[in-house]
Amino acid sequence: MASGSGKDGPGVPRKPKFKPRAPPRRVIKQEVKAEVVDDADAEQAAKENLLKRFNERESAMKAKYKVEKKVLASQIAFGYGGESTSMKSYGIPRGGSSININLSSASSGGKEKEYQEPWDYYSNYPVTLPLRRPYSGNPALLDDEEFAEAAQSRTYEENASNSTMDLGLLEENPEASMFLINLPTKLPMIKQSATAGDKDVNEKSIPHGGSKNVEELCELNELSSGFMGKMLVYKSGAIKLKLGNTLYDVSSGMNCACAQDLVAVNTAQKHCCTIGEISKHVTITPDVDAIIDNLSDL
Amino acid sequence: MDFDDLEEAPIKATSRVSKFAPKSSKLKPKPKSEPAPPKPEPQPPISKPEPQEFVAATVKKNEDDGVETVPPTHTKPELDATVKMEEAEDEPESVRDDPIDEDIPEEDTVVREIDVFFSPSVDAQTQLYVFQYPLRPSWRPYDLDEQCEEVRLKTKTSEVEIDLSIDLDSDHIDKEFATKYNITKQTLSTTWKPSHANGCAVGLLMGDKLHLHPVHAVVQLRPTLQHLNSGGSKRKNAASTGANATVKIEGSNEEKSVATSKKQNKQTGPSIIEQKSDGDECWVPLKYHSCKSDISSRYLQQMVTQESSPINFTMRAYDYVTALCPGGSSNNLPKGLSKRYLLSLPVEERLKKMLEDRPLHRFSAIKHFAPEYSENELLGFLQQHAILVWGLWTAKSSLLYPDGGVETLARDYSLLLFSKSLKVQFSDVSIRGGELVNRVRNCLKIFGVERNDLDKSTGKPNPYWKFRELPDESFKKLYPDIVEKQEELFKGLEKQLSGFSSNVGKRKIGKNAVANQGVNTEVHKSESSDQRVTSLGRVPPAKMTMSNETRHALPIALKKLFQTHKVCSFKLICEGLREMAVSKAMLSKGDSKMAVDAAHSLDGPHNELMAVISEVACEINGSYVLKSSPDDPFRDVVIDMLCGSGPNAKLKKAEILEAARRKLGREVASNEYTKVMSELCVSKGSVWVLKSGDGSK
């Protein structure tokens, strides 16, 4: 308890430099004792508050337990009174009974009523699978939801997925967001210049009616800079990309939970710059259905 | 009861205090990660408390961002009433979603348009990499800004190593272990060589503009585990247990402390490793700059600057898909010009293109490609620009070769030959002059399929050309008047070409013929043998009644007949031809058509048939015998004696031998004598008599 408050107190000004060490905590202990001695009347008020909260919890449901947790957390976040209350209440058992007995009874009580995180997230805690955000809840319950028999029957439905919501394109983006985009290996442009390509095709087709004119298409690296086309976001959640006469489907790619950074590397000046964090994957494929529909006159 | 109440409070307070700290530290360096919190929302029953905590955190730091990221929640969750209000707000949102779903299938409108810009590179010397850290989730990245000491890169293989400093004074570091192995830093490296990212680009979305930049490589970075061993970890457990026991003043249970220390050891173990060094290729050391530095912001500005010149993607969708899947296109290209291309042309150009593209066309196919024209208009066009051969239309030579010349002459001659019969023998190409013959043969290949027929006597290949397509009989039935007109055209062509080919008097060299590019080029022809002169002399009357096919087939059939019956009368010849045609038609052999054609000669006048027979055989007192080959002069002697003796000639051996000696100047061998006499004559007593022509022995 005292160590917890110690982390908050001196930690705020020192966070940008380094983490707290053992010696400052000893100083804090002395302060705690002084406060306990001075505020004898406040202890009784704290007892009454705790009794009221305990009574509320008995009548409330599990969901309401979480609601109350929120309140307590926010109180700790915004006020100094909460901390002082907890500190004062902690001081009493030290004078009254042995430490071991109190610890064992406290831990058993915690297990029965709520799920307690197994480690301190402020420290270098281990990685557990499946990857979940801190304070997501009881892993047993989450595992049942995610991997139980009901979830096994799920299959990926293309029409059910909503790319717009996945990529966050519904609203205006106030800040720059980065995507890793997978494009087709070939783009609808011939490697030669457009006019020369057309002439070659016309000349070749006349003498050799049956010859196979397979021109080479441009890859992404061979394009010149400029305006490519328009990306259209529809109300139903579909996203289309139009490059010239060709239409593409834009869909969200695999949900990547690992950390990804976009880095600019300049080997001449020998520096390496992180530009930003990549948040989502995007996959672009040609819309073959639309192309086949337009070939009715062939 | 009182003791439980008092003891629960400090534990919860401790957990809440610890909960808050890591969020604030993580959220500060990354404002862009704020949109991430909405992800846990798909799990409503358990994840409900989370947004509140995040909202509290964000409201403290950035009130504006907090309001924008979570618009429905505008108030601070300090009171119970606020919590209840939020619950009430959630319900109407779910209700509102239903009508939106109903509207979707009715109308799908464009909600937003995003302009896409492309830039091949940020800078001439700069390449973009994507660093992926598979062992770190997105909400817990490495603190590169503070810990990164050096980044090393191999430009050829795109291998990357990152050195991270370690705080040896931290509670989570085992100092003894680090000191033992001289561990001063942690190294992240690529475990395998990353492949170049083909087709991968990074999209930077700002407002309604998306900027695409190709990515050079995607690199995965993991901690190296080279110096981890089990002995060290065991000792480390004991040491860390003692350290944690003394350091932590929380006074937690002894079992808990052991479990916690073990977990911490597992985490710190993999990350404590000496610096890795590779001797393969020299590493290029790079200085690291965080995303807040000036250089990084400059790069970001360069990436966002756009060029407004449009990139022309001029390919049609069909061509693009054909290029992506080239397997299917091989079936379509040999068919010539595509249907879409033809239909896009005006009618006259379209028809001319069709006639130029392929040599032969059916009238129904041409009609299908010209729906604008009526039948009369189409027939008028075809009669002007095309020629009818066996019911199929082909372009006139003037359409293909407007200047005329040798090619026109060769093509017309080929068409003339095919118009007479579906098969053209090599012997029918009776033109001298090397180049012209080659051109004629090329044209014959265009209109027909070249094949070889083995000559049965000599075994040499005898090439001929068969007409490529089947004749279109339906056109002849429907439009007989046009067929007659076309036949008259061929007669006119025949007069011109036959005049040139049979003009023996003028002797011009073939080179002169090639030099003269005019339409009236004369064809030089050398002297032919006496037989050819004879045949040319008889061509005009024969063509009146006997077809060309019959004239070609008859000599072959006669030779076969004489192999069976050495001496034949005219009556026997007629009967033999009929029997041959019937038997071969039943056997359905390849040359049954030849026998049938030969039998057609019986329908014509007898004098024509006798003229053809006289080419193959010679007459002896009303019977016919096959003519002798040049290497058998004795046979001619016998034939002459039989002719000279008159009907019912009787020859003696002494007379025959004496006559042969005088003519040939040598003695006749006995086997030669026996062979010839047994072929032509039968022995009666001591004299030889000619065989009867009725087929009996």
Side-chain angles (χ1 to χ4, degrees):
Chain A
M1 186 58 198
S3 64
S5 65
K7 287 182 181 178
D8 274 349
V12 170
R14 296 182 184 179
K15 279 180 182 176
K17 295 182 180 179
F18 54 89
K19 297 176 182 178
R21 298 177 183 177
R25 295 175 184 176
R26 295 174 184 175
V27 176
I28 295 166
K29 291 177 185 177
Q30 297 172 2
E31 293 175 359
V32 170
K33 291 179 181 179
E35 290 176 358
V36 170
V37 172
D38 293 337
D39 300 329
D41 294 338
E43 290 177 1
Q44 294 177 0
K47 288 181 183 179
E48 291 176 0
N49 290 331
L50 290 174
L51 285 172
K52 290 180 182 179
R53 292 173 188 171
F54 184 75
N55 291 328
E56 289 176 357
R57 287 166 192 163
E58 287 181 345
S59 62
M61 299 171 68
K62 287 184 179 180
K64 292 185 179 179
Y65 277 127
K66 295 171 184 176
V67 172
E68 290 171 358
K69 292 173 190 175
K70 298 174 194 174
V71 175
L72 293 174
S74 63
Q75 286 183 358
I76 293 168
F78 294 109
Y80 180 73
E83 290 178 358
S84 62
T85 304
S86 60
M87 290 165 63
K88 292 170 185 177
S89 62
Y90 181 75
I92 296 171
R94 285 188 178 181
S97 62
S98 66
I99 294 171
N100 289 328
I101 295 170
N102 290 330
L103 290 175
S104 63
S105 60
S107 64
S108 64
K111 286 181 180 178
E112 289 175 357
K113 297 197 172 180
E114 66 172 1
Y115 173 77
Q116 189 180 3
E117 296 292 337
W119 40 69
D120 183 7
Y121 284 112
Y122 187 68
S123 65
N124 193 13
Y125 61 97
V127 175
T128 56
L129 293 175
L131 293 174
R132 289 200 183 102
R133 251 170 207 286
Y135 308 107
S136 297
N138 192 348
L141 299 178
L142 293 175
D143 289 343
D144 287 341
E145 288 185 2
E146 191 170 351
F147 304 117
E149 291 183 358
Q152 288 178 359
S153 63
R154 295 177 189 173
T155 52
Y156 180 77
E157 292 184 0
E158 183 175 331
N159 294 325
S161 66
N162 195 326
S163 301
T164 307
M165 295 186 72
D166 292 340
L167 299 177
L169 297 178
L170 277 176
E171 300 170 354
E172 291 283 335
N173 301 90
E175 294 181 359
S177 57
M178 293 190 178
F179 308 100
L180 183 62
I181 297 176
N182 281 296
L183 289 155
T185 54
K186 304 291 183 180
L187 293 173
M189 176 182 273
I190 304 172
K191 271 191 175 179
Q192 301 168 356
S193 62
T195 55
D198 291 340
K199 290 179 180 177
D200 289 345
V201 171
N202 289 329
E203 288 174 1
K204 287 180 181 177
S205 63
I206 293 173
H208 310 285
S211 67
K212 301 179 181 179
N213 298 323
V214 181
E215 308 110 20
E216 292 183 347
L217 299 181
C218 275
E219 293 183 357
L220 190 63
N221 297 326
E222 295 157 356
L223 283 181
S224 59
S225 62
F227 176 76
M228 288 182 88
K230 277 187 177 293
M231 189 180 283
L232 308 172
V233 180
Y234 289 88
K235 194 176 182 181
S236 64
I239 307 173
K240 301 287 181 181
L241 173 64
K242 193 171 179 60
L243 300 180
N245 299 317
T246 312
L247 199 65
Y248 290 86
D249 282 324
V250 180
S251 56
S252 59
M254 189 174 70
N255 190 13
C256 235
C258 67
Q260 297 177 85
D261 289 334
L262 178 67
V263 176
V265 173
N266 194 325
T267 52
Q269 301 179 13
K270 294 192 175 180
H271 60 247
C272 172
C273 254
T274 297
I275 295 175
E277 182 189 359
I278 289 177
S279 57
K280 294 181 179 67
H281 285 196
V282 174
T283 301
I284 295 178
T285 53
D287 193 353
V288 180
D289 290 336
I291 293 169
I292 290 174
D293 290 341
N294 291 328
L295 298 180
S296 60
D297 55 347
L298 185 70
Chain B
M1 187 63 183
D2 291 342
F3 289 127
D4 291 340
D5 191 359
L6 291 175
E7 288 170 354
E8 285 176 359
I11 292 167
K12 292 172 184 176
T14 304
S15 64
R16 280 158 196 157
V17 170
S18 64
K19 283 182 186 178
F20 194 73
K23 293 179 191 177
S24 61
S25 65
K26 289 179 183 177
L27 287 172
K28 279 183 178 178
K30 297 192 304 174
K32 294 175 183 176
S33 65
E34 289 170 2
K39 278 191 176 180
E41 286 179 353
Q43 300 172 349
I46 294 174
S47 64
K48 279 185 179 179
E50 284 189 359
Q52 307 307 325
E53 295 169 352
F54 284 110
V55 167
T58 52
V59 167
K60 258 195 171 183
K61 267 73 186 181
N62 298 315
E63 290 184 355
D64 295 336
D65 293 338
V67 170
E68 288 177 358
T69 52
V70 189
T73 308
H74 295 281
T75 58
K76 299 179 181 179
E78 292 179 349
L79 302 175
D80 294 339
T82 306
V83 172
K84 292 179 181 178
M85 288 175 64
E86 287 174 357
E87 286 183 351
E89 286 176 0
D90 289 339
E91 291 177 358
E93 286 178 359
S94 63
V95 171
R96 290 172 187 173
D97 289 339
D98 293 340
I100 293 172
D101 293 335
E102 292 175 358
D103 292 339
I104 285 174
E106 293 178 359
E107 186 181 357
D108 194 6
T109 58
V110 175
V111 176
R112 186 180 179 187
E113 283 194 3
I114 298 170
D115 296 335
V116 181
F117 296 90
F118 178 80
S119 180
S121 63
V122 179
D123 197 354
Q125 299 167 342
T126 305
Q127 289 174 334
L128 292 180
Y129 285 77
V130 173
F131 285 1
Q132 291 182 340
Y133 307 96
L135 299 186
R136 284 302 182 100
S138 60
W139 55 84
R140 191 191 171 195
Y142 290 105
D143 200 359
L144 294 179
D145 299 349
E146 297 178 0
Q147 295 180 7
C148 185
E149 292 182 353
E150 188 187 46
V151 178
R152 292 184 295 279
L153 173 72
K154 288 187 177 179
T155 54
K156 294 180 180 178
T157 58
S158 301
E159 289 180 76
V160 176
E161 284 192 351
I162 298 178
D163 287 343
L164 301 178
S165 64
I166 294 173
D167 186 6
L168 295 178
D169 296 330
S170 172
D171 298 337
H172 319 294
I173 301 298
D174 187 350
K175 292 184 182 180
E176 292 183 5
F177 189 88
T179 306
K180 182 180 177 182
Y181 288 96
N182 287 324
I183 295 172
T184 56
K185 64 182 75 173
Q186 170 184 347
T187 302
L188 309 175
S189 68
T190 54
T191 52
W192 61 78
K193 297 181 180 180
S195 61
H196 282 265
N198 186 16
C200 278
V202 60
L204 189 62
L205 181 62
M206 296 187 76
D208 281 337
K209 292 175 181 177
L210 181 68
H211 301 271
L212 292 185
H213 296 271
V215 170
H216 181 69
V218 177
V219 181
Q220 290 189 350
L221 296 163
R222 294 179 172 84
T224 53
L225 308 174
Q226 203 165 7
H227 303 284
L228 178 67
N229 51 21
S230 59
S233 66
K234 286 182 180 178
R235 184 174 180 179
K236 196 172 93 177
N237 282 333
S240 63
T241 302
N244 288 328
T246 55
V247 168
K248 291 187 176 180
I249 311 171
E250 294 176 2
S252 62
N253 192 358
E254 185 175 2
E255 290 179 357
K256 276 193 173 180
S257 68
V258 171
T260 305
S261 63
K262 283 184 179 178
K263 291 175 183 176
Q264 288 177 359
N265 292 334
K266 289 179 182 177
Q267 179 59 32
T268 54
S271 61
I272 301 173
I273 288 176
E274 288 182 357
Q275 174 182 353
K276 177 185 178 182
S277 62
D278 289 343
D280 300 336
E281 185 186 348
C282 59
W283 293 91
V284 178
L286 306 171
K287 186 181 179 183
Y288 179 78
H289 297 277
S290 67
C291 57
K292 298 177 178 177
S293 63
D294 294 338
I295 299 176
S296 180
S297 61
R298 193 191 310 158
Y299 278 128
L300 197 65
Q301 289 298 324
Q302 288 179 5
M303 289 175 73
V304 170
T305 55
Q306 67 203 16
E307 292 190 12
S308 61
S309 62
I311 301 172
N312 289 320
F313 294 101
T314 56
M315 283 189 83
R316 292 175 293 173
Y318 173 74
D319 295 336
Y320 178 60
V321 172
T322 302
L324 286 180
C325 310
S329 65
S330 61
N331 295 328
N332 296 326
L333 286 176
K335 291 182 179 177
L337 299 174
S338 67
K339 182 178 174 181
R340 305 180 73 211
Y341 176 65
L342 282 178
L343 290 175
S344 65
L345 296 173
V347 179
E348 287 198 356
E349 288 185 19
R350 188 189 310 166
L351 292 173
K352 288 181 181 177
K353 286 272 182 181
M354 276 189 68
L355 293 171
E356 290 171 4
D357 188 29
R358 298 176 66 182
L360 297 164
H361 295 275
R362 288 175 174 268
F363 182 70
S364 57
I366 298 170
K367 195 174 165 185
H368 176 70
F369 272 93
E372 298 90 347
Y373 270 179
S374 65
E375 284 193 359
N376 292 329
E377 290 172 351
L378 185 56
L379 288 170
F381 177 88
L382 288 174
Q383 291 182 42
Q384 184 182 356
H385 295 281
I387 286 174
L388 187 71
V389 187
W390 295 105
L392 301 168
W393 291 94
T394 184
K396 281 187 176 179
S397 299
S398 58
L399 182 65
L400 295 177
Y401 310 106
D403 299 334
V406 180
E407 291 180 352
T408 301
L409 189 62
R411 192 168 183 278
D412 287 338
Y413 189 71
S414 306
L415 286 171
L416 184 65
L417 292 173
F418 270 118
S419 66
K420 294 178 181 176
S421 68
L422 289 172
K423 280 184 181 177
V424 174
Q425 297 287 334
F426 179 66
S427 58
D428 294 333
V429 185
S430 59
I431 294 176
R432 293 286 174 175
E435 185 170 348
L436 188 58
V437 170
N438 286 333
R439 289 179 183 276
V440 169
R441 293 183 72 167
N442 287 333
C443 289
L444 288 169
K445 285 181 184 177
I446 291 171
F447 295 114
V449 180
E450 185 178 0
R451 292 178 183 173
N452 287 313
D453 197 10
L454 289 182
D455 193 348
K456 294 186 179 180
S457 61
T458 60
K460 295 179 181 178
N462 191 19
Y464 70 97
W465 293 269
K466 189 179 179 182
F467 199 58
R468 189 175 287 270
E469 299 279 344
L470 290 178
D472 190 2
E473 299 294 340
S474 62
F475 185 82
K476 291 183 177 179
K477 293 177 184 176
L478 291 173
Y479 307 98
D481 51 346
I482 294 176
V483 174
E484 288 178 3
K485 289 181 183 178
Q486 294 293 316
E487 286 176 354
E488 289 177 3
L489 276 178
F490 275 114
K491 289 177 182 177
L493 272 179
E494 183 180 356
K495 289 179 182 178
Q496 290 182 2
L497 295 176
S498 64
F500 291 137
S501 63
S502 64
N503 197 345
V504 183
K506 298 181 180 180
R507 299 189 178 185
K508 289 192 175 181
I509 307 169
K511 292 182 180 179
N512 290 337
V514 172
N516 292 329
Q517 296 295 326
V519 177
N520 297 324
T521 302
E522 294 178 353
V523 178
H524 173 72
K525 180 180 180 183
S526 65
E527 292 182 357
S528 62
S529 64
D530 293 339
Q531 294 179 357
R532 291 185 181 179
V533 169
T534 305
S535 66
L536 283 174
R538 292 176 182 175
V539 162
K543 290 178 182 175
M544 296 298 293
T545 53
M546 193 178 289
S547 67
N548 199 17
E549 292 176 341
T550 303
R551 290 183 56 81
H552 297 316
L554 188 56
I556 299 172
L558 287 173
K559 288 180 181 178
K560 291 182 181 178
L561 183 63
F562 276 108
Q563 288 176 4
T564 307
H565 308 288
K566 302 300 178 181
V567 182
C568 305
S569 63
F570 184 78
K571 183 180 178 182
L572 182 61
I573 289 172
C574 296
E575 293 175 358
L577 288 174
R578 285 202 193 89
E579 289 176 0
M580 189 183 292
V582 170
S583 64
K584 292 198 172 179
M586 292 174 66
L587 291 175
S588 71
K589 288 185 177 179
D591 52 354
S592 65
K593 184 177 175 63
M594 188 178 292
V596 171
D597 290 335
H600 287 322
S601 63
L602 304 176
D603 301 331
H606 286 344
N607 54 358
E608 293 184 9
L609 178 57
M610 294 178 71
V612 175
I613 293 171
S614 64
E615 296 177 10
V616 178
C618 56
E619 183 185 3
I620 304 175
N621 300 324
S623 299
Y624 290 89
V625 171
L626 198 65
K627 285 187 175 179
S628 304
S629 59
D631 58 353
D632 197 0
F634 175 68
R635 193 168 177 274
D636 286 333
V637 173
V638 175
I639 290 170
D640 291 340
M641 292 182 69
L642 288 168
C643 293
S645 301
N648 299 322
K650 295 179 181 179
L651 303 178
K652 292 183 178 178
K653 181 175 181 181
E655 294 175 357
I656 295 169
L657 293 176
E658 181 62 27
R661 188 180 303 111
R662 280 190 276 105
K663 283 192 176 180
L664 302 180
R666 61 178 175 83
E667 287 293 334
V668 176
S670 62
N671 58 354
E672 183 178 4
Y673 173 84
T674 304
K675 177 186 172 186
V676 169
M677 300 311 293
S678 64
E679 177 186 348
L680 299 176
C681 305
V682 293
S683 176
K684 289 187 175 179
S686 62
V687 298
W688 294 98
V689 180
L690 183 66
K691 286 181 178 177
S692 64
D694 57 0
S696 65
K697 202 272 179 185

